[in-house]
Amino acid sequence: MDSSVPSSSTVLDALDHHWPANTPVTASEVTEEFDCPQRTIRRKLESLVDDGVLNTKEVEADSRVWWRPVERGREPREASCEGRAQVRSHPVFDSEMVGVIVWDADGTVEDANDAFLEMVGLDYDEALGTSWRDLSPEEFYRAGERHLREVEESGSGVPYEKQYYHADSSRWWGLFESRRLNETTKVEFVIDITERREYERALERRNVQLERLNKFTDALSHDLRSPLSVVGGRLHLYRETGDPEHLDAIGTTAERMEQLVEDLLQVARSGQVVKGPDSTLIGDVLETAREGSLPESATCEYEPVRPLIADSDRLVQVFENLLQNSVDHGGEGVTVRVGPLENGFYVEDDGPGVPEADHERLFKHGYTTREDGMGYGLSIVRSVVDGHGWDMLVTEAEDGGARFEVTGVDFVNDR
């Protein structure tokens, strides 16, 4: 016996289940099927009469009967009852793993098994009459409607994944598949795949971390070449001259290498390329970068650029890699020019330039046009430029070499 206040549809179900069509019943007879006052059942019966579902007549001064007429209007309801009975008789309805929902023509719940009720956190009576739109976040409406059209057209829908709301407003992921039982009734099967989706998300995060780690090791091995070259060169000079100035330079370079390792580790862990941008002089950055990147036979021409806001350590990486790129492609006698733009700066050389077809892929991680190249330098340049929120393009210098323009820069006196 149902101990809750029944809905009109529940009362109608009781009539259909216990009394054949055209069988008059009294309110007291129907009340025996429920644990509630007779006046409550009487109101439900009257509402069904108002809806045109039941007929009624007075048989005595204070007595009335109600019955379900046999007519066309009942055919959909009978089909619905048959559909629910068909679903309930199937072994999957008793499954603890597969949720089963019976939907009426309006997309509201007519029946559901315990597995589905557990997934949504609703009692049976709470679930009855609930629309699929009430259970589904709005961003999944279109997918749900597309699935329903498939069911209407072909009798079944392609399984698809979407989220449903739990009673506590949290979300869970399900794999849904629907089939048409008859003209008015559909049955849907669902498996809770929340754990699988969470595992996939964790795997994606791990892959991102691994990608960052791979880029870290690539960048580290690549960007340590310039400072290591400085150490080697200064050590050679110290052995020849005994001048302690070279040891000081080695110490300074070693500190920069240590800072580089720490910074790149931070990038690998957090993905944050730039930290603590401050007033920076391109001339100072260029002086640091050129020692390990340009041979003595190369020429570097600098036209002053206004002080800008940047992470100076990261900017050293940019210039080291751009200068090294000029040497790699233009030779040890290359001439490099650095100068101002209206909203940024440029770096260009007199080397062979960059074919237009390579402009877009030039900055991709691992892309190189040299047999002995690693393809990391310009990828590092792009990541640092992007990290500052700047823009960068490659074009052709006046003498045919490569020209890199960095724009969108914040200058100190513009703030």
Side-chain angles (χ1 to χ4, degrees):
M1 183 179 294
D2 195 337
S3 61
S4 61
V5 176
S7 64
S8 296
S9 62
T10 305
V11 172
L12 190 61
D13 287 342
L15 284 171
D16 288 339
H17 182 73
H18 294 288
W19 294 278
N22 276 342
T23 302
V25 294
T26 64
S28 61
E29 289 176 310
V30 180
T31 303
E32 291 178 2
E33 303 300 321
F34 301 94
D35 185 14
C36 65
Q38 181 174 318
R39 62 179 179 275
T40 300
I41 297 299
R42 190 181 183 93
R43 284 197 297 269
K44 300 297 181 182
L45 293 170
E46 291 294 347
S47 69
L48 289 169
V49 172
D50 293 340
D51 292 339
V53 178
L54 297 183
N55 286 348
T56 184
K57 71 176 180 178
E58 189 174 349
V59 293
E60 294 179 5
D62 296 322
S63 182
R64 181 173 289 276
V65 294
W66 290 264
W67 71 94
R68 191 82 136 92
V70 177
E71 56 186 24
R72 288 184 181 180
R74 188 175 178 203
E75 291 175 0
R77 186 71 188 182
E78 289 175 338
S80 176
C81 293
E82 292 172 1
R84 292 202 305 275
Q86 179 184 350
V87 172
R88 281 183 169 268
S89 66
H90 197 285
V92 75
F93 195 84
D94 296 323
S95 169
E96 296 181 358
M97 299 292 295
V98 181
V100 181
I101 317 105
V102 179
W103 303 102
D104 66 12
D106 296 328
T108 58
V109 177
E110 281 198 341
D111 201 2
N113 70 347
D114 291 340
F116 177 73
L117 297 175
E118 180 72 21
M119 293 175 188
V120 293
L122 295 175
D123 294 331
Y124 183 77
D125 289 336
E126 292 175 323
L128 292 181
T130 302
S131 168
W132 69 268
R133 289 180 176 83
D134 295 332
L135 297 172
S136 181
E138 189 172 349
E139 61 263 34
F140 293 96
Y141 281 6
R142 183 173 297 179
E145 290 166 353
R146 182 173 60 249
H147 187 73
L148 290 175
R149 285 196 299 270
E150 292 174 355
V151 176
E152 291 291 343
E153 294 170 1
S154 64
S156 62
V158 177
Y160 72 114
E161 298 179 3
K162 70 175 179 180
Q163 286 184 319
Y164 256 10
Y165 285 121
H166 192 270
D168 62 6
S169 298
S170 62
R171 297 185 181 196
W172 56 278
W173 279 96
L175 175 64
F176 294 80
E177 179 183 3
S178 300
R179 298 180 183 179
R180 188 177 64 222
L181 290 178
N182 50 53
E183 293 180 358
T184 62
T185 310
K186 303 176 186 66
V187 61
E188 188 163 47
F189 305 97
V190 55
I191 298 175
D192 189 332
I193 59 170
T194 304
E195 289 188 5
R196 193 205 79 192
R197 293 290 298 230
E198 290 177 349
Y199 172 77
E200 289 174 349
R201 286 184 60 190
L203 189 61
E204 288 175 4
R205 289 193 296 267
R206 179 172 176 80
N207 287 338
V208 169
Q209 292 172 346
L210 287 174
E211 184 178 358
R212 286 177 180 169
L213 184 59
N214 288 336
K215 287 186 176 181
F216 160 73
T217 55
D218 292 343
L220 185 62
S221 62
H222 184 273
D223 281 5
L224 284 179
R225 292 189 306 168
S226 292
L228 283 173
S229 175
V230 173
V231 171
R234 291 286 189 166
L235 184 59
H236 177 73
L237 291 173
Y238 173 73
R239 286 171 175 166
E240 285 188 344
T241 66
D243 188 342
E245 176 187 347
H246 299 301
L247 293 180
D248 293 338
I250 290 173
T252 300
T253 304
E255 290 175 0
R256 191 163 72 82
M257 291 168 65
E258 182 179 359
Q259 185 64 48
L260 178 63
V261 172
E262 290 180 1
D263 289 348
L264 289 177
L265 272 174
Q266 179 65 26
V267 171
R269 291 171 182 150
S270 68
Q272 183 179 357
V273 177
V274 174
K275 64 175 185 177
D278 203 350
S279 177
T280 302
L281 295 174
I282 292 289
D284 293 345
V285 169
L286 185 58
E287 191 65 29
T288 302
R290 66 180 295 179
E291 182 173 4
S293 304
L294 289 181
E296 292 184 3
S297 54
T299 301
C300 183
E301 300 175 358
Y302 173 60
E303 183 180 349
V305 178
R306 289 183 290 162
L308 51 84
I309 304 298
D311 181 335
S312 58
D313 291 331
R314 298 287 69 77
L315 203 53
V316 168
Q317 281 184 275
V318 168
F319 277 93
E320 282 180 336
N321 282 292
L322 289 177
L323 296 178
Q324 187 64 56
N325 181 74
S326 294
V327 174
D328 290 342
H329 295 278
E332 295 194 355
V334 69
T335 295
V336 180
R337 291 177 291 273
V338 179
L341 296 172
E342 182 178 353
N343 60 343
F345 59 89
Y346 69 86
V347 179
E348 66 179 19
D349 60 47
D350 61 354
V354 181
E356 188 172 350
D358 291 335
H359 283 189
E360 286 299 321
R361 51 187 174 177
L362 190 66
F363 298 101
K364 289 184 178 180
H365 191 73
Y367 177 76
T368 180
T369 58
R370 297 171 59 234
E371 292 184 2
D372 60 342
M374 294 185 288
Y376 304 145
L378 294 181
S379 170
I380 294 168
V381 169
R382 169 54 66 84
S383 66
V384 174
V385 168
D386 288 347
H388 280 87
W390 302 337
D391 298 314
M392 184 175 196
L393 63 85
V394 57
T395 183
E396 185 176 308
E398 290 185 4
D399 51 11
R403 178 182 171 98
F404 298 89
E405 296 184 352
V406 178
T407 56
V409 170
D410 287 332
F411 293 106
V412 173
N413 55 3
D414 288 343
R415 286 197 165 188

